[in-house]
């Protein structure tokens, strides 16, 4: 596997693991990592500025490998055991945090402040409209939104690392078979 695949995979993995760790910290009451609403704008911009080229180039590399799921799985199994374990644990952590976030969230979304009042969109089955909420509920909804904005890119980064490293392994295997 070429060094560009390794560097790309390592960057995607490191960014994904960082975001997953920050997401996990938002769940710990002792740490109580709170993301202020003002920080969400620049944090989101920074995450997306790195996510878009990393994820798109990973997708292109995986597409150029022209492999089906079975072949990709075989390439993953050819990676070193430590890399397999690291990717599997990060994927499991992402899936666990995603399940916690989905199950722990309420029916309120898209909290905003207007003229000193707090509003959120209620997605409960019988309501489905904007409702006025308390400041405490507003903060809780904003905190949950911040957690989601850390979690989803983290999962996508880990997926990009998987795609890049398996594509690199497929490319290495293709070159070895051409040389033989």
């Amino acid at each position: 596997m070429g060094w560009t695949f390794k560097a790309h995979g390592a960057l995607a993995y490191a960014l994904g693991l960082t975001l997953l760790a920050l997401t996990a910290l938002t769940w710990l009451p002792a740490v109580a990592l709170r993301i202020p609403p003002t920080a969400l704008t620049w944090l989101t911009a920074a995450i997306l500025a790195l996510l878009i080229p990393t994820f798109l180039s990973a997708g292109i590399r995986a597409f150029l490998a022209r492999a089906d799921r079975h072949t990709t799985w075989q390439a993953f199994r050819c990676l070193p055991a430590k890399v397999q374990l690291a990717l599997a644990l990060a994927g499991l952590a992402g899936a666990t945090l995603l399940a916690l976030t989905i199950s722990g969230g309420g029916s309120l979304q898209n909290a905003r402040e207007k003229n000193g009042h707090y509003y959120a969109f209620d997605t409960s089955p019988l309501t489905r409209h904007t409702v006025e909420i308390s400041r405490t509920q507003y903060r809780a909804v904003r905190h949950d939104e911040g957690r989601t904005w850390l979690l989803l890119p983290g999962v996508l980064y880990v997926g990009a690392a998987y795609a890049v490293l398996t594509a690199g392994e497929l490319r290495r295997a293709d070159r070895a078979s051409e040389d033989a």
Side-chain angles (χ1 to χ4, degrees):
M1 173 179 340
W3 69 270
T4 60
F5 285 94
K6 291 177 185 176
H8 187 182
L11 174 69
Y13 181 78
L15 291 170
L17 203 58
T18 301
L19 291 176
L20 291 178
L22 288 173
T23 303
L25 287 176
T26 64
W27 281 102
L28 298 176
V31 177
L33 176 66
R34 296 281 179 194
I35 304 161
T38 55
L40 276 179
T41 54
W42 69 263
L43 185 60
T44 301
I47 289 171
L48 290 178
L50 292 172
L51 178 67
I52 292 170
T54 304
F55 193 74
L56 283 178
S57 59
I60 290 169
R61 284 182 158 188
F63 175 75
L64 292 177
R66 293 188 181 99
D68 59 356
R69 279 187 271 160
H70 178 69
T71 309
T72 304
W73 176 248
Q74 287 178 336
F76 174 74
R77 293 193 55 199
C78 290
L79 291 171
K82 289 181 182 179
V83 175
Q84 288 179 31
L85 181 63
L87 286 171
L89 288 176
L92 182 63
T96 303
L97 288 170
L98 188 60
L100 282 172
T101 301
I102 290 171
S103 67
S107 62
L108 298 176
Q109 297 177 359
N110 197 19
R112 64 187 195 289
E113 180 182 3
K114 186 176 181 182
N115 300 328
H117 297 278
Y118 302 98
Y119 301 95
F121 187 76
D122 191 357
T123 60
S124 57
L126 299 175
T127 309
R128 287 260 190 238
H129 62 82
T130 302
V131 294
E132 188 171 351
I133 58 174
S134 68
R135 183 182 172 122
T136 306
Q137 287 176 311
Y138 170 77
R139 286 184 176 172
V141 171
R142 292 293 293 188
H143 181 65
D144 289 343
E145 289 172 353
R147 179 182 295 136
T148 303
W149 273 108
L150 289 175
L151 175 62
L152 294 179
V155 170
L156 289 175
Y157 277 127
V158 171
Y162 170 82
V164 167
L165 293 174
T166 54
E169 188 62 26
L170 285 169
R171 188 160 186 186
R172 184 201 58 78
D174 287 346
R175 284 193 177 153
S177 67
E178 289 173 1
D179 292 341

